[in-house]
Amino acid sequence: AGRKPNPPDDRKAQAKAKLMEQASRIDSMSVPEWHELFELCTAELSDNTYTSQYVKDALASIRKIKPPLPPFVEQLLGLHAHLFVLGKLIKQSQSQWSAYYMGFHTHVAADDVQEAIVRILSGELAGTAGQEPQSGMAGTLAYLRRQMLTESPKLHYYSRLYDLLWRNWLHPARGDTKMYAEELDALQAAAPELGAALSKLPWMLARC
């Protein structure tokens, strides 16, 4: 006789165990891997309406899988949890409506998440010695740069966050000139890479 498939409860328990095992490695993951993990642990919320309640549920789902972490990793993970949720709100609103319009409740939720991210980036950066995950700060910069440069011209969520990252975290933490030259190179390279998808105003402001 063929093997019977696992009951739904068993499959759910196995999926949860696998998720928790992945989450136990958070402090050695890259930023893209964090976002992949967030996608997995919020997957069952995908049919929910994208409102403030979705924000609460998504952040709670991410918190549930988070192991104890060093202060800097905790801070950076919290930032990316909010960035992930903001991205979901923007993406969902654009798939439902258009690149230029957000439903009222989604717009309110996105504004609230943006303000939460502003508060995180306005806080003092936790000690980083020996605590930075793989490409943590570089991955954060790359993520915000990409989102800013591909954002709809009618939406203005990421430019402010990119600016705050530089002013409050990157510049105080490093304080050299090499990082600015590297960022200018990255911005210059983004133009031909993104082509028509490039949002030109944020690109020019970032270069300034």
Side-chain angles (χ1 to χ4, degrees), residues 15-155:
K16 183 177 180 180
K18 184 177 180 180
L19 182 63
M20 297 306 293
E21 191 278 329
Q22 289 177 284
S24 69
R25 304 193 303 272
I26 277 178
D27 60 352
S28 63
M29 287 180 173
S30 65
V31 165
E33 288 171 332
W34 280 354
H35 284 256
E36 290 173 7
L37 184 63
F38 298 157
E39 192 73 55
L40 288 174
C41 70
T42 60
E44 62 184 32
L45 305 176
S46 60
D47 292 332
N48 286 17
T49 304
Y50 284 74
T51 63
S52 296
Q53 187 59 51
Y54 168 81
V55 173
K56 293 178 183 177
D57 292 343
L59 292 174
S61 295
I62 293 171
R63 282 194 295 269
K64 284 180 183 178
I65 65 161
K66 181 180 64 64
L69 296 167
F72 174 72
V73 182
E74 179 94 32
Q75 187 177 28
L76 204 59
L77 188 78
L79 169 65
H80 278 278
H82 284 80
L83 287 171
F84 170 81
V85 172
L86 178 62
K88 296 290 283 189
L89 293 170
I90 293 172
K91 182 178 179 181
Q92 182 66 16
S93 70
Q94 291 182 358
S95 66
Q96 287 182 333
W97 305 96
S98 75
Y100 305 105
Y101 178 76
M102 297 179 76
F104 173 76
H105 294 292
T106 303
H107 181 78
V108 170
D111 283 353
D112 288 346
V113 175
Q114 186 197 37
E115 287 306 311
I117 296 170
V118 167
R119 289 193 294 272
I120 293 171
L121 289 172
S122 298
E124 185 177 351
L125 187 61
T128 61
Q131 297 178 347
E132 184 168 342
Q134 180 185 352
S135 305
M137 195 62 86
T140 301
L141 176 58
Y143 179 87
L144 277 176
R145 183 195 308 121
R146 181 85 179 190
Q147 299 305 312
M148 174 186 68
L149 295 181
T150 56
E151 187 171 25
S152 164
K154 297 295 183 180
L155 300 177

Side-chain angles (χ1 to χ4, degrees), residues 72 125 128 137 166-176 179:
F72 174 72
L125 187 61
T128 61
M137 195 62 86
W166 273 101
R167 290 178 184 275
N168 295 343
W169 285 12
L170 289 174
H171 175 67
R174 295 181 61 180
D176 57 40
M179 62 179 179

